[in-house]
Amino acid sequence: MRLPHWAGTLAAKSAAFITVMCCALAALLGVLVHVSVTDQTVAQARDQALSRLAEATSDFEAGDTLLPEARIDPRGLPSALRALALAGDRGTMVSDDYGRPTMWAAGPADRDRVLAVAVDYSQQAHTISALDHSILWSSALAIGTTLLVGAFAVTRVTRRLHGTAQVARRISAGDLDARVDDPRTKDPTRPQDEVAAVAAALDGMAASLQDKLLSEQRFTADVAHELRTPLTGLHAAAELLPPGRPTELVRDRVAALRTLTEDLLEISRLDTGRERLETDAEALGALAERVVRASGTETEVKVVRDVWVETDRRRLERVLGNLVANAHRHGHAPVVLTVEGKEVTVRDHGGGFPEYLVTHGPQRFRTEGGTKGHGLGLTIAVGQAEVLGARLSFANAVDGGAVAVLTLP
């Protein structure tokens, strides 16, 4: 049996625990008070009834007139008490006498008759009933008050926990400046509870992670900048080499290094988050065809529904160009680029994306299956798509092939 969704929250569990404990405590105290007062009240009524029975017995044996409440073989006397008296013993019992609570005391009168005394028990019964009602109302009030106070206290804790969880989600989404900033962690004189410890640990982790990522970004940018100067000289020197196969290999590797350096520089700029859009109205179908022509690949373009979009043309061309190049480099023909409204799909018919990429997205300098490359093309495409405010998702088609879907805002 599955519990409802709300039953899993800390507030619901705490409320249920407080309610159960309060009810159990109220029930225990109520039973103790009820039993104690009832025993005391019944004992007093029993003593009074037995005392009057003793007086009535003395009067009966002396032949005097009996007390008004003393009778011989009364009709309302309980049968169990009558049997006890006929056996020669005395006893008491509470029962109703014509609808009124009555304390009976009975004893033997002579061989075949019973002498009984009826004492009005209405006041004592009313007292016990009023006590029970008071216990119920006071217990309900105490439970309600305790529940409200407990809910207020637990809500304060859960609100802080929700805030901490929200900050953790912001950090996982890429906002490394997000912090909990719990005031308890900044004031050592205030009591430090577990929530404050979690908040302090999360802030420390976020600061450490931010420092490491910023250090990595600076290292990537510095390496890319430092490589540009020797690569420029190397490219110029390669152009002076005599024609031949060795020269072609050198020029090819130099071009690959220059492309890698430019990609690293672009990633470092995207990592800083300071990229600015230069928007203009563009026909999406025409832009897609222009990207395919510039790529020099045999890519089929299908325009199901063309639209005009306000976007940064250069960045959008970069995203689509990287998707098309990746499809040809790591997939198999035919490669199809489909424009349907503000959604652009690039699909190949190869082995599909690796599982890690579909689940977590592209990761720089990671490739699988022995493919060539550095894993930067899709990383740049995702970064540029974020700058455009678009969403780039990756999946594998049921009948085979990788599918990249760009949804523009």
Side-chain angles (χ1 to χ4, degrees), residues 148-309:
L148 288 176
V149 174
F152 174 74
V154 172
T155 301
R156 293 188 63 186
V157 175
T158 55
R159 187 184 302 117
R160 293 167 59 197
L161 288 175
H162 283 305
T164 304
Q166 185 176 6
V167 170
R169 285 191 290 268
R170 288 172 56 192
I171 293 173
S172 64
D175 184 6
L176 299 181
D177 293 324
R179 296 292 186 274
V180 180
D181 287 332
D182 194 320
R184 289 171 177 78
T185 61
K186 300 180 179 180
D187 187 1
T189 61
R190 300 184 66 177
Q192 302 294 312
D193 56 8
E194 289 77 3
V195 180
V198 173
L202 180 62
D203 287 347
M205 181 197 69
S208 176
L209 180 62
Q210 186 177 36
D211 291 341
K212 291 180 179 179
L213 289 179
L214 290 177
S215 177
E216 179 185 343
Q217 291 171 8
R218 286 193 296 268
F219 174 77
T220 303
D222 292 343
V223 168
H225 279 291
E226 291 297 328
L227 284 175
R228 295 184 84 178
T229 300
L231 280 176
T232 302
L234 187 60
H235 176 74
E239 293 297 325
L240 298 177
L241 293 176
R245 181 58 180 167
T247 300
E248 293 179 1
L249 292 175
V250 170
R251 290 176 179 175
D252 179 68
R253 292 301 88 195
V254 170
L257 280 175
R258 292 188 67 180
T259 301
L260 176 60
T261 302
E262 295 299 326
D263 287 345
L264 289 175
L265 284 173
E266 186 170 359
I267 287 178
S268 65
R269 289 194 298 269
L270 291 172
D271 286 340
T272 60
R274 299 175 182 174
E275 295 288 271
R276 295 292 179 266
L277 293 176
E278 297 179 3
T279 59
D280 198 1
E282 297 285 342
L284 198 53
L287 187 145
E289 293 175 350
R290 190 164 60 246
V291 168
V292 170
R293 285 197 302 270
S295 68
T297 60
E298 294 184 2
T299 303
E300 180 183 358
V301 178
K302 291 183 178 180
V303 180
V304 178
R305 180 167 58 89
D306 198 3
V307 293
W308 284 76
V309 293

Side-chain angles (χ1 to χ4, degrees), residues 69-111:
E69 62 269 20
R71 287 170 283 176
I72 299 295
D73 289 333
R75 293 181 56 187
L77 184 66
S79 57
L81 188 57
R82 182 187 298 275
L84 180 67
L86 290 175
D89 294 325
R90 293 184 178 185
T92 59
M93 183 178 290
V94 177
S95 68
D96 287 339
D97 185 22
Y98 298 103
R100 270 191 328 177
T102 302
M103 172 65 77
W104 289 95
D110 49 27
R111 209 169 38 177

Side-chain angles (χ1 to χ4, degrees), residues 18-36:
I18 293 173
T19 302
V20 170
M21 294 303 297
C22 287
C23 290
L25 182 61
L28 178 62
L29 293 177
V31 169
L32 291 176
V33 173
H34 173 83
V35 170
S36 177

Side-chain angles (χ1 to χ4, degrees), residues 9 14 69 94 237 271 334 354 367 399:
T9 63
S14 300
E69 62 269 20
V94 177
D271 286 340
T367 58
D399 54 347

